[in-house]
Amino acid sequence: MSAHTLPAKVPAPVPASSGPSALQRFVRDKDWKFYAAVVSVSLLAGAGLYYFARSSSTPDADEPKSTKSKNKKKKSKKKSAKTSTTDENAAEDSDKAKGSVASDENLETMSAETITKLSQQQRRENANVLKTRGNSMYSAKKWNEAIRLYSQAIAFSPDPVYYSNRAACYFLIEKYDKVIEDTTLALKLNPTYIKALGRRAQAYENTGKYLEALHDFTAMCVLDEFKNEGYAQSMERNLKKIASIKAQEILAERVDRLPSKTFMSAYLDSFRKTEVPETKPEDVETGDGQFELAQYYLGQREYQQAMEAYEKAIELNTTHMAKALNMRGTFTFLMGNSQKALVDFDKAIELDPNYVQTYIKRGSIYMEQENLAKTFAEFDTALSIDAEDPNIYYHRGQVHFITGDYKKASEDYIKSIDLEPKFVFSHIQYNVAQYKLGNTPDAMKGFKKALRDFPESGDVNNYYGELLLDQQQFDEAIERFDKAIKLKPSNPLPYINKALLLFQWKQDPLGAERLCLQSLEADPECDVAIATLGQLSLQQGNVDQAVYYFDKSVSLARTEMELTSAISFREAASSQLEFAKNYPEEAKRLKR
């Protein structure tokens, strides 16, 4: 949960040693979103939501039964027809059927009018003969001949297998509209025919109808009880395509907006506090007046007003231009527009090459762009300017932490503490890093000391509670989360952590949901709370509500990576709703 309280969206300090629930993993994965270059999307147990792209096989026609088996059956039928004396009508029907198959030279050209005069049994038997011939042509890769024979089999006796086999041929000659048409007819006759579903799904995918493909692959997975890995892989692949396309569409039309107050405060609090006006300035007609107004709003955590004031300060040519550009770039970065932010940071450095904070923030952008070399180069430059700035060591420690080098991270946190002992997050992250290194006794001892040194810090209580939760010390963890809420009721994260505890320990999804709703009272746009509510809704089988929360997550997503993840959850949940609509009986069985 540290992402929203610790700077630079630091990953959650709780390791996975105790086998956390999928719900916990989901929340932790979101915590990596600011620095990490790759976000791992989790799977909600039992819901069948999968996310990663893989491959799937092409369809093939149903294989005919062995010739030996057919011959035995034919012999059996002949014997039965010859020896039956108790049912003359049955014998007659059998003789007719035998005759129609035996003199079958005209089967392939028999007219519809003639076919209608045959008995149902004759029509079925003749259709089966034609299907067998079609299978032979399929095996010989004579697709058009196979199509002709399957079509005639359908004329004798419409059967889902015949439609599906003909669809397989159409697929191989890339007539995907015909594939969709035939498989749809097959599914009208047998809605749970998985092979027909698969062929239609692949045709949908090949024609760019990824949502329809996802619905069919989802149905296959559920009907098959998730036993076939290939079906799941195909579902994952289409889900990823949908999310990527929709994310691009949303980003193209989206107006930049600031993320939640929790998110904003997390990053801005990662830098040591600077002096800001305690009262609102009266003279705001000049550039410097607007800069002072922006600083005032920043101290009040009124971020939208602060951003607007920094913008006006720049327009009015403030004498604090480098710092104003730095802050405008910061807000732009937090809105997800890294390239535009870089322009401001570059200009700020030109104007004031000794302002180290700008190098740190530019390094954050390079980290998000997966360029570690440039990231560390920014820290080196900053250190060459001021080796005694604790911000540099703290943020470089965060990068080491994100990249898994907990030893180097610890060294940087210690240096940051030496330079500024009262910065609580350095103490928190140092102890978390020790925990990651396996030094659990030292980490727990360090947190107890931090509780004494920072008795009014809700953050220390919250993160110490996370470590206790990871060790399944549930009673103590609840005590810490409750204390964190009491000390800082405006922070949504302890509510969410306590919700996860109730979910894991007491299997109480309703209690967990209530706590998440409380966290939204503290911050209505807390993305972690909203995403967690979506997951909890799925766990309770309330897919409609889950879709609602995931849709809100989409609206709050800051970067393309976050947006793709949120869309994936929403579309996967929506696909379950589509399955329930199309297969109500099967959906009821799933809930039992």
Side-chain angles (χ1 to χ4, degrees):
M1 313 300 290
S2 336
H4 297 274
T5 306
L6 293 182
K9 309 305 288 177
V10 180
V14 184
S17 58
S18 63
S21 69
L23 188 57
Q24 287 175 293
R25 291 198 303 273
F26 169 76
V27 175
R28 288 192 200 150
D29 285 341
K30 286 186 71 62
D31 289 342
W32 291 72
K33 63 189 174 185
F34 202 86
Y35 260 136
V38 178
V39 173
S40 171
V41 185
S42 64
L43 162 68
L44 181 69
L49 308 186
Y50 297 87
Y51 292 95
F52 299 108
R54 299 189 184 111
S55 60
S56 85
S57 58
T58 54
D60 57 359
D62 293 322
E63 291 295 324
K65 296 176 183 178
S66 68
T67 305
K68 185 176 181 181
S69 174
K70 286 185 177 180
N71 287 340
K72 284 184 178 180
K73 287 188 177 181
K74 286 183 181 179
K75 288 178 182 178
S76 176
K77 285 182 182 177
K78 290 179 182 178
K79 182 176 179 181
S80 174
K82 289 178 180 178
T83 58
S84 176
T85 58
T86 58
D87 191 339
E88 293 180 2
N89 290 332
E92 182 178 351
D93 284 343
S94 179
D95 286 336
K96 285 180 181 178
K98 182 179 67 174
S100 67
V101 173
S103 56
D104 59 6
E105 288 79 4
N106 66 340
L107 287 183
E108 297 179 18
T109 58
M110 188 176 291
S111 67
E113 182 181 355
T114 304
I115 291 171
T116 58
K117 295 177 182 178
L118 300 176
S119 69
Q120 288 297 320
Q121 182 178 347
Q122 288 175 314
R123 290 169 69 174
R124 282 194 296 271
E125 290 181 352
N126 289 332
N128 190 59
V129 170
L130 290 162
K131 187 262 289 187
T132 301
R133 294 180 187 176
N135 287 350
S136 297
M137 291 298 101
Y138 181 93
S139 298
K141 299 184 179 180
K142 296 180 179 180
W143 319 124
N144 288 316
E145 276 298 297
I147 288 170
R148 184 181 66 81
L149 290 163
Y150 291 137
S151 298
Q152 187 69 350
I154 290 167
F156 273 93
S157 180
D159 185 282
V161 171
Y162 307 161
Y163 283 115
S164 183
N165 283 5
R166 188 169 70 177
C169 298
Y170 282 132
F171 189 95
L172 290 165
I173 59 176
E174 300 184 5
K175 291 188 176 181
Y176 300 121
D177 289 343
K178 287 286 189 182
V179 176
I180 294 167
E181 181 181 324
D182 269 1
T183 49
T184 299
L185 289 168
L187 290 165
K188 284 182 179 178
L189 296 171
N190 181 3
T192 60
Y193 188 10
I194 288 182
K195 188 167 283 190
L197 273 169
R199 287 171 180 160
R200 187 172 71 175
Q202 289 177 316
Y204 278 140
E205 183 175 359
N206 283 14
T207 52
K209 297 177 180 178
Y210 303 121
L211 187 61
E212 291 86 347
L214 173 64
H215 291 163
D216 278 353
F217 282 127
T218 299
M220 292 168 66
C221 286
V222 179
L223 291 172
D224 190 57
E225 299 179 350
F226 299 96
K227 295 175 183 175
N228 188 309
E229 180 64 16
Y231 300 163
Q233 292 169 355
S234 298
M235 181 170 65
E236 295 158 10
R237 182 178 61 251
N238 281 274
L239 187 57
K240 186 173 183 179
K241 289 177 181 177
I242 293 165
S244 178
I245 291 169
K246 291 195 174 186
Q248 291 295 329
E249 291 172 351
I250 291 171
L251 288 171
E253 308 237 339
R254 172 174 283 182
V255 177
D256 287 345
R257 60 190 291 273
L258 292 175
S260 72
K261 186 172 286 189
T262 302
F263 188 114
M264 294 290 299
S265 298
Y267 186 73
L268 295 171
D269 286 351
S270 69
F271 294 91
R272 271 63 172 182
K273 299 285 185 190
T274 57
E275 293 295 324
V276 296
E278 294 184 3
T279 58
K280 189 173 181 180
E282 295 181 4
D283 179 15
V284 294
E285 299 301 318
T286 65
D288 286 354
Q290 284 293 325
F291 182 81
E292 289 299 309
L293 181 63
Q295 293 288 89
Y296 166 76
Y297 281 132
L298 193 67
Q300 299 298 311
R301 298 184 185 272
E302 298 294 341
Y303 298 124
Q304 183 66 38
Q305 291 93 322
M307 181 176 67
E308 292 169 0
Y310 282 123
E311 183 71 45
K312 288 180 182 177
I314 293 168
E315 290 174 5
L316 294 171
N317 202 27
T318 176
T319 60
H320 306 285
M321 185 63 75
K323 290 184 178 179
L325 286 167
N326 173 293
M327 289 309 301
R328 187 175 71 175
T330 301
F331 285 119
T332 303
F333 178 38
L334 295 176
M335 288 191 290
N337 194 333
S338 298
Q339 291 305 316
K340 189 176 177 182
L342 271 177
V343 174
D344 275 348
F345 291 149
D346 290 345
K347 182 65 175 175
I349 288 172
E350 285 179 25
L351 294 172
D352 186 355
N354 293 319
Y355 190 40
V356 296
Q357 189 184 111
T358 310
Y359 295 98
I360 295 171
K361 292 176 178 178
R362 196 163 66 174
S364 296
I365 292 180
Y366 293 140
M367 181 64 188
E368 194 172 73
Q369 295 175 347
E370 306 181 53
N371 194 330
L372 277 176
K374 277 193 170 185
T375 300
F376 285 113
E378 292 297 309
F379 288 113
D380 290 342
T381 302
L383 286 170
S384 71
I385 296 167
D386 185 357
E388 300 299 305
D389 188 326
N391 285 317
I392 304 171
Y393 297 99
Y394 178 76
H395 282 272
R396 190 174 68 176
Q398 300 293 72
V399 174
H400 285 310
F401 189 101
I402 272 293
T403 55
D405 194 338
Y406 305 120
K407 186 175 184 297
K408 285 186 177 179
S410 297
E411 292 170 358
D412 274 341
Y413 296 142
I414 287 293
K415 182 66 175 177
S416 177
I417 291 169
D418 288 343
L419 292 169
E420 178 51 81
K422 293 183 179 180
F423 187 64
V424 66
F425 294 125
S426 294
H427 296 270
I428 291 172
Q429 279 302 108
Y430 173 75
N431 291 317
V432 171
Q434 293 306 299
Y435 192 67
K436 286 283 192 180
L437 286 167
N439 301 328
T440 303
D442 290 342
M444 304 309 279
K445 182 179 178 181
F447 264 109
K448 289 176 182 177
K449 182 178 185 302
L451 286 172
R452 293 191 300 271
D453 293 342
F454 301 93
E456 300 302 312
S457 171
D459 294 306
V460 174
N461 281 277
N462 180 55
Y463 301 131
Y464 183 37
E466 288 192 6
L467 266 63
L468 291 166
L469 172 59
D470 188 67
Q471 296 172 72
Q472 299 189 22
Q473 297 181 40
F474 299 122
D475 287 315
E476 291 182 62
I478 277 191
E479 183 182 340
R480 288 298 130 206
F481 295 142
D482 285 341
K483 185 67 178 291
I485 291 169
K486 182 179 179 181
L487 289 169
K488 195 176 181 181
S490 62
N491 182 3
L493 302 182
Y495 297 94
I496 301 169
N497 272 330
K498 186 177 177 182
L500 295 175
L501 187 153
L502 288 181
F503 182 82
Q504 180 181 349
W505 180 25
K506 296 191 175 181
Q507 291 77 52
D508 182 6
L510 290 175
E513 184 177 330
R514 283 193 294 271
L515 281 163
C516 286
L517 290 172
Q518 281 184 267
S519 76
L520 289 179
E521 293 176 13
D523 182 354
E525 294 191 337
C526 179
D527 53 349
V528 174
I530 290 167
T532 304
L533 281 165
Q535 291 288 320
L536 288 168
S537 298
L538 279 180
Q539 286 283 5
Q540 296 173 76
N542 192 341
V543 184
D544 286 286
Q545 185 170 286
V547 170
Y548 166 77
Y549 283 120
F550 291 141
D551 199 45
K552 289 192 73 173
S553 289
V554 170
S555 69
L556 294 172
R558 187 185 67 89
T559 65
E560 182 178 352
M561 210 181 304
E562 292 173 29
L563 189 55
T564 300
S565 173
I567 292 170
S568 294
F569 275 96
R570 183 187 67 185
E571 295 304 324
S574 297
S575 192
Q576 290 188 57
L577 286 178
E578 186 70 15
F579 176 82
K581 182 179 78 174
N582 295 331
Y583 298 90
E585 293 305 315
E586 286 77 6
K588 286 178 186 175
R589 284 200 293 273
L590 280 176
K591 292 181 179 180
R592 290 199 288 267

